[in-house]
Amino acid sequence: MRRRFGVAVIAGSFAVPIHAQTFGQDVAFLEKHTTVVVLGDEAGGARVAVCPDLQGRVMTSGPRGESGPSFGWIHRELLASGLRDPHINAYGGEDRFWLGPEGGQYALFFAKGDPFDLAHWHTPAAIDTEPYPVANRTPDRVAFRKRMAPVNYAGFRFEVDLERTVRLVPASEAWSGLGVAALPGVEVVAFESDNRITNAGTAAWRKETGLVSIWILGMFNPSPETVVVVPFEPGPEESLGPVVNDAYFGEVPSDRLLVRDGVIFFRGDGRHRSKIGVPPPRARPVLGSYDPRAAVLTLVQFDRVPGARDYVNSMWEIQQEPFGGDVVNSYNDGPAAPGAKPLGPFYELETSSPGAALDPRRSLAHRHRTLHLVGDRRSLDSVARSVLGVSLDEVVAAFGPPRN
């Protein structure tokens, strides 16, 4: 059942690229280095580029065929090199499948006994470098199936069957899902991934040996003006707990993170490595970002399971609450150390399912939808007010003019 629910700017020791490629140019580049499945509707309409050999990830999308803008961040240098990094291969993409947790006593990204630092951080191959076989394809969707067997920090082996379907969402359905009437002059491209994991082993998945969760991450092109917007449930901290976790990579400076009247503002400029998360009592089933330079409002909707509280914790430490993790995350890339190169740079919008406490042959699913709306500020403002609960003037003014 369907539910509503160019120019480089110098930043410290590195440059933040401003993406100027068309969708057709990005697809042409991808086709030189990997297999690409392009989903489309009518001639000249919305397009989505999906790469089976890159874990079935959505690499980019566009609202206007080959000649229109392209929204996904693509690591061209890495793809062109043909090299593989032992820690992570950040190829890019607007929707990629991962499993959590990243860190902690049930981590999937650290071997048993290793310290939680960058030198020992390794993304499992099944969600980093291995291809995902195509199970079915039609003009507007492509489905994948993948068997994987990650082992966590506690030594438990998960036998996982993944079914992942990426679908182009028609514009009429996208507008309906936002609860907003279609606006003349606003271009839209929308797609979603429907991800289902099944316990394919003989042992039940239980808290005592750790759980996994579906984790969907979208990587986007940063700009000096980009601001991430995350609505949250207001209320007293005594009953709902903290609004935002900003301790992943050290406390986020106040000129990069603001909390006001039910909305979190977070810079998506690719200049400072930082990450935030919103816990279950606070999370709402939507988040987004706005880039005034490109006149693009990006929105993410996802399945929020009512009452679910057990979300895996990805903090890089032995945790007091391994199932006290976040539902929504946003990451802003930047150097991991002074003078170092960033992974991208890029910024991310991320959502997670609850932890999968599954008996053998039982499944858990998570749906993640991405929408890009391009148009004049007045039109996009009405959408932002309705969906995110904030005006674009407030978004743009949150941190003031960008720093050179």
Side-chain angles (χ1 to χ4, degrees):
M1 180 179 67
R2 293 177 181 172
R3 299 174 294 279
R4 230 182 70 172
F5 30 32
V7 177
V9 177
I10 301 300
S13 60
F14 66 95
V16 177
I18 297 172
H19 191 68
Q21 302 294 319
T22 66
F23 179 81
Q25 289 170 330
D26 273 346
V27 169
F29 170 81
L30 289 168
E31 289 178 333
K32 292 179 181 179
H33 305 288
T34 189
T35 302
V36 184
V37 174
V38 176
L39 309 178
D41 48 16
E42 72 281 355
R47 296 285 186 271
V48 177
V50 188
C51 292
D53 291 344
L54 302 180
Q55 302 77 57
R57 69 181 73 192
V58 176
M59 289 301 292
T60 192
S61 64
R64 201 189 321 133
E66 305 298 305
S67 63
S70 184
F71 296 121
W73 177 76
I74 298 172
H75 198 323
R76 290 174 166 249
E77 181 181 0
L78 178 60
L79 281 165
S81 73
L83 301 176
R84 288 188 176 179
D85 188 282
H87 299 286
I88 184 174
N89 290 273
Y91 297 118
E94 299 191 58
D95 181 313
R96 76 179 188 274
F97 175 87
W98 264 15
L99 291 171
E102 187 173 353
Q105 52 265 54
Y106 303 122
L108 298 177
F109 291 66
F110 294 88
K112 184 176 179 63
D114 280 352
F116 298 110
D117 57 32
L118 277 173
H120 294 87
W121 174 66
H122 298 278
T123 309
I127 55 174
D128 187 49
T129 56
E130 295 180 2
Y132 285 12
V134 174
N136 188 41
R137 177 185 173 185
T138 64
D140 69 341
R141 71 191 64 201
V142 58
F144 305 94
R145 289 184 180 174
K146 175 72 174 177
R147 169 67 64 92
M148 56 189 73
V151 178
N152 69 11
Y153 196 82
F156 187 83
R157 179 185 176 94
F158 294 89
E159 300 287 345
V160 182
D161 274 344
L162 167 66
E163 297 173 82
R164 171 175 165 84
T165 299
V166 176
R167 178 175 74 95
L168 175 68
V169 177
S172 58
E173 184 183 340
W175 286 113
S176 175
L178 292 174
V180 176
L183 295 173
V186 174
E187 296 181 309
V188 60
V189 57
F191 60 89
E192 67 182 26
S193 67
D194 198 333
N195 308 272
R196 178 178 298 272
I197 56 173
T198 299
N199 180 350
T202 58
W205 299 350
R206 294 291 181 260
K207 285 185 176 182
E208 292 73 22
T209 49
L211 301 177
V212 295
S213 68
I214 298 170
W215 187 4
I216 305 299
L217 308 93
M219 307 169 86
F220 304 99
N221 297 292
S223 81
E225 296 97 338
T226 297
V227 176
V228 173
V229 182
V230 187
F232 66 89
E233 293 295 338
E237 190 166 326
E238 294 78 16
S239 57
L240 295 181
V243 170
V244 60
N245 172 15
D246 71 340
Y248 281 93
F249 302 119
E251 184 178 355
V252 181
S254 59
D255 64 345
R256 294 188 158 274
L257 175 63
L258 294 174
V259 179
R260 293 179 184 165
D261 302 325
V263 179
I264 299 164
F265 300 99
F266 180 56
R267 284 190 184 271
D269 60 2
R271 294 178 170 183
H272 183 87
R273 184 172 180 257
S274 50
K275 183 175 179 177
I276 61 170
V278 181
R282 299 286 191 177
R284 295 182 56 200
V286 66
L287 66 157
S289 64
Y290 179 58
D291 180 356
R293 179 174 299 195
V296 179
L297 177 65
T298 297
L299 300 170
V300 168
Q301 299 173 296
F302 66 99
D303 288 337
R304 175 75 173 91
V305 180
R309 289 292 182 267
D310 290 333
Y311 285 79
V312 300
N313 190 338
S314 283
M315 295 287 290
W316 288 19
E317 62 189 17
I318 298 298
Q319 305 151 356
Q320 292 185 346
E321 297 183 64
F323 305 104
D326 297 318
V327 182
V328 168
N329 292 101
S330 181
Y331 170 78
N332 186 50
D333 194 34
K341 288 182 64 176
L343 282 172
F346 52 84
Y347 74 95
E348 291 183 318
L349 304 177
E350 313 171 8
T351 72
S352 293
S353 75
L358 300 176
D359 289 326
R361 296 179 297 280
R362 304 295 292 179
S363 302
L364 177 143
H366 182 70
R367 188 181 55 146
H368 178 110
R369 177 179 290 186
T370 303
L371 309 92
H372 300 288
L373 296 94
V374 185
D376 66 84
R377 185 149 155 180
R378 183 175 180 179
S379 296
L380 297 183
D381 180 73
S382 67
V383 179
R385 288 174 181 270
S386 177
V387 178
L388 298 175
V390 65
S391 72
L392 292 186
D393 284 346
E394 293 174 272
V395 176
V396 171
F399 300 109
R403 291 165 293 182
N404 293 325

